[in-house]
Amino acid sequence: MHRLTIHELHKKLKGKEVTAQEATEALLKRIKEVDPKIKAYLTVTEKEAIAGAQEADRRIADGKISPLTGIPLAIKDNMCTQGIQTTCASKILEGFIPPYDATVVKRLKDEGGVLLGKANMDEFAMGSSTENSRFTVTRNPWNLETIPGGSSGGSAAAVAADACIAALGSDTGGSIRQPAACCGVVGMKPTYGRISRYGLVAFGSSLDQIGPITKDVEDCAILLNAIAGHDPLDSTSINLPIPDYSKALIKDVKGWTLGVPKEFFVEGMDPQVEEEVGAAIRVLEGLGATVKEIALPHTGYAVATYYIICTAEASSNLARYDGVKYGFRAPESKELMEMYQETRSEGFGPEVKRRIMLGTYVLSSGYYDAYYRKASQVRTLIKEDFEKAFDQCDVIITPTAPTPAFRLGEKMEDPLQMYLSDIFTISVNLAGVPALSIPCGFSNEGLPIGLQIIGKHLEEERIIQAAYTFEQNTDHHTKRPKLS
Amino acid sequence: MKVEIGEVEHVARLARLKLSEDEKELFTGQLNAILDYMEKLNELDTGSIEPTFHVVSHQSVMREDAAKESQPQEAALDNAPDKAQGCFRVPKII
């Protein structure tokens, strides 16, 4: 049962072949079996899950079933869940029990979705390997010695290991797509503003976006249907009607133009990634699409731009953690300033401190113009690159990450090398456009490789259509890690 | 070197962080390496380009000035490490 997708389980629930409680119990059992190996969860909410499933069964008995009713889901631990600890994998939020649900969590609950637990992540979503969690190291279900990607590594590993039916992640510079690629699942970062950020713990507010991590493209559309839409509680959420994304599940790219940016196929790319992505492009070509080389000339500046903007935003967002209102407070401080400093120094891990330092520096008096303003100007150029590119193509195709999952510990000593693993994903966040990662093959070591499909602002439907066409004509999504 | 250890200490004070001697040394090296990498941006002439701070047109959203239900005081204080008489309690300020 744990192997089912959302749409497969929905059919069984609707046909009364299985109850939501049975499905939830099967998933909880699966978590007990595999989570000691992969450590995808920080909290498993067994009691609440059973209660949620029973409520879902009552709704189903009343004939009130929607696509997510009774579906067991995992949520990244940076989204507030009422009454359930939400830590962002940080010591500074240890013990924090939110008094409210994030809008996305509320929407899933309103549909009758069942919350299995909170997924591990890099502390405050800062990282590309989930190794920055203060609590545990998540492992890639395909090879326990490699990283699951990050920062939504717990969500992606749980989906890949069938330890949930689907999950939510968040993506500031690739944190949904890169772990989805590393774990061989589908992950989408929607257009900035498409999903409410209310109740998502803020990291880089102009970049953060919540999105689905699923076993296939159909599930991606179903989850997106549930969480997309305007929210009066998030002033950056876009107030436009939401299409039915499942209507975009069409197997057809005939006559489409696929843009392939030449800048993405240069130095440092793993030859196996290049080969599998090339093969994927030929599949789509074989189905009637035309490939066109396009230019995104400022790609080489994206990492530098991103790490100025995201650290600047993070340094001000994380100023709120002062040991006063919630979470951890350093004991025995004699006066207020000492209490702030000691709380923050003990409460934050090394990567978070590094980013707060960098962000404070680039915003500090005398450096603002040279760094923050400069980066914001380059951001305009990166955004314009995409606008020009989409005049010539329907979607853009790239690798999701330059390499398959790397080994645990490999990049922990060199932050800059870790930052460069986001090289293909971050320009998408800077431009605010939507993108998805879909499995497109495996390395010789049996590690998944991801294909990134980027769309125009608010054109998630095109991405879904291209991804669905590719998926339905290949069999990568049917493969599963051999985790006993 | 762009950043000396003294500047790292100054930035840490601004960020309300207390760094150990080891951390100061580590961050000085790492911040220099990262800031050197960011020099790349100076290859671009951005003189007249408008900066992008937000990708969606950002305007203040107003709602009707009407009383709405909010968190009860008790719930808002529930997570506080220290509280007294319906307030957050902190060590002495002056």
Side-chain angles (χ1 to χ4, degrees), chain A residues 221-363:
Chain A
I222 294 169
L223 214 40
L224 197 57
N225 272 345
I227 60 174
H230 178 247
D231 178 9
L233 297 172
D234 174 4
S235 66
T236 62
S237 80
I238 299 170
N239 196 354
L240 284 175
I242 301 297
D244 176 357
Y245 293 105
S246 62
K247 292 221 168 89
L249 297 164
I250 300 164
K251 283 180 268 184
D252 184 18
V253 289
K254 249 184 238 93
W256 285 38
T257 305
L258 314 175
V260 178
K262 56 177 191 271
E263 293 82 3
F264 281 52
F265 291 86
V266 284
E267 56 174 326
M269 170 137 36
D270 185 296
Q272 298 184 80
V273 171
E274 193 166 355
E275 196 181 310
E276 294 302 329
V277 170
I281 292 170
R282 285 192 295 279
V283 168
L284 291 167
E285 241 179 330
L287 295 164
T290 310
V291 173
K292 186 176 170 70
E293 188 181 277
I294 56 153
L296 294 169
H298 298 94
T299 300
Y301 302 99
V303 173
T305 303
Y306 174 80
Y307 278 94
I308 291 170
I309 291 172
C310 85
T311 58
E313 294 184 4
S315 74
S316 49
N317 273 326
L318 271 61
R320 75 190 65 175
Y321 302 102
D322 56 5
V324 174
K325 302 174 292 297
Y326 34 64
F328 171 76
R329 174 188 292 190
E332 290 164 32
S333 307
K334 298 277 180 298
E335 50 96 12
L336 191 67
M337 184 60 85
E338 183 190 335
M339 190 277 277
Y340 289 156
Q341 290 182 339
E342 287 184 356
T343 295
R344 290 166 62 80
S345 301
E346 278 182 58
F348 292 133
E351 180 61 24
V352 175
K353 284 190 216 175
R354 189 157 37 241
R355 294 203 195 185
I356 290 174
M357 291 288 293
L358 191 57
T360 306
Y361 178 82
V362 300
L363 288 176

Side-chain angles (χ1 to χ4, degrees), chain A residues 146-176:
Chain A
T146 64
I147 58 129
S151 68
S152 310
S155 298
V159 174
D162 294 308
C164 62
I165 301 295
L168 288 186
S170 69
D171 190 315
T172 304
S175 280
I176 287 174

Side-chain angles (χ1 to χ4, degrees), chain A residues 97 192 300-301 323-326 329 336-337 342 344-345 353-354 367 371 374 376-377 380 430, chain B residues 2 7-8 11 15-16 18 23 30 40-41 43-44 46 49-50 52 54-55 79-81 89 92:
Chain A
I97 313 279
Y192 181 84
Y301 302 99
V324 174
K325 302 174 292 297
Y326 34 64
R329 174 188 292 190
L336 191 67
M337 184 60 85
E342 287 184 356
R344 290 166 62 80
S345 301
K353 284 190 216 175
R354 189 157 37 241
Y367 297 106
Y371 290 104
K374 179 88 185 178
S376 301
Q377 287 175 311
T380 303
L430 290 167
Chain B
K2 293 187 135 39
E7 199 153 17
V8 167
V11 172
R16 305 288 183 256
K18 195 163 112 187
E23 278 178 316
Q30 289 176 337
K40 253 177 110 72
L41 298 188
E43 293 166 12
L44 297 171
T46 50
I49 294 163
E50 277 299 307
T52 296
H54 238 278
V55 287
N79 281 290
R89 185 156 69 183
K92 75 173 170 126

Side-chain angles (χ1 to χ4, degrees), chain A residues 78-234:
Chain A
N78 60 349
M79 296 172 219
C80 285
T81 41
Q82 186 171 4
I84 295 165
Q85 179 171 237
T86 298
T87 66
C88 272
S90 181
K91 184 177 170 183
I92 212 155
L93 273 175
E94 202 170 4
F96 172 59
I97 313 279
Y100 64 95
D101 276 325
T103 296
V104 288
V105 172
K106 188 174 178 300
R107 288 193 179 175
L108 296 181
K109 284 186 181 171
D110 287 349
E111 288 234 4
V114 174
L115 174 62
L116 286 171
K118 304 299 292 286
N120 196 22
M121 54 186 283
D122 285 296
E123 184 179 6
F124 282 102
M126 296 179 186
S128 310
S129 69
T130 311
E131 291 167 293
N132 292 328
S133 168
R134 293 299 292 282
F135 302 121
T136 189
V137 173
T138 299
R139 289 158 187 272
N140 189 319
W142 292 90
N143 178 339
L144 299 177
E145 296 310 308
T146 64
I147 58 129
S151 68
S152 310
S155 298
V159 174
D162 294 308
C164 62
I165 301 295
L168 288 186
S170 69
D171 190 315
T172 304
S175 280
I176 287 174
R177 291 159 288 154
Q178 185 258 15
C182 288
C183 292
V185 295
V186 175
M188 181 190 259
K189 182 207 88 77
T191 305
Y192 181 84
R194 190 94 270 198
I195 317 280
S196 167
R197 292 183 296 111
Y198 179 73
L200 171 71
V201 178
F203 158 20
S205 304
S206 79
L207 304 156
D208 297 339
Q209 193 62 190
I210 294 169
I213 299 180
T214 56
K215 295 176 188 177
D216 68 11
V217 178
E218 186 169 346
D219 280 6
C220 177
I222 294 169
L223 214 40
L224 197 57
N225 272 345
I227 60 174
H230 178 247
D231 178 9
L233 297 172
D234 174 4

Side-chain angles (χ1 to χ4, degrees), chain B residues 1 3 11 15 26-28 40 43 45 50 57 69-71 74 83 87 91:
Chain B
M1 265 222 330
V3 185
V11 172
L26 180 73
F27 283 164
T28 306
K40 253 177 110 72
E43 293 166 12
D45 177 12
E50 277 299 307
S57 61
E69 210 183 313
S70 60
Q71 291 289 344
E74 211 170 289
K83 60 192 165 189
C87 298

Side-chain angles (χ1 to χ4, degrees), chain A residues 405-419:
Chain A
F406 44 88
R407 297 185 76 77
L408 288 163
E410 194 180 307
K411 297 190 180 178
M412 281 304 271
E413 297 308 314
D414 187 347
L416 194 53
Q417 277 310 307
M418 187 75 93
Y419 297 172

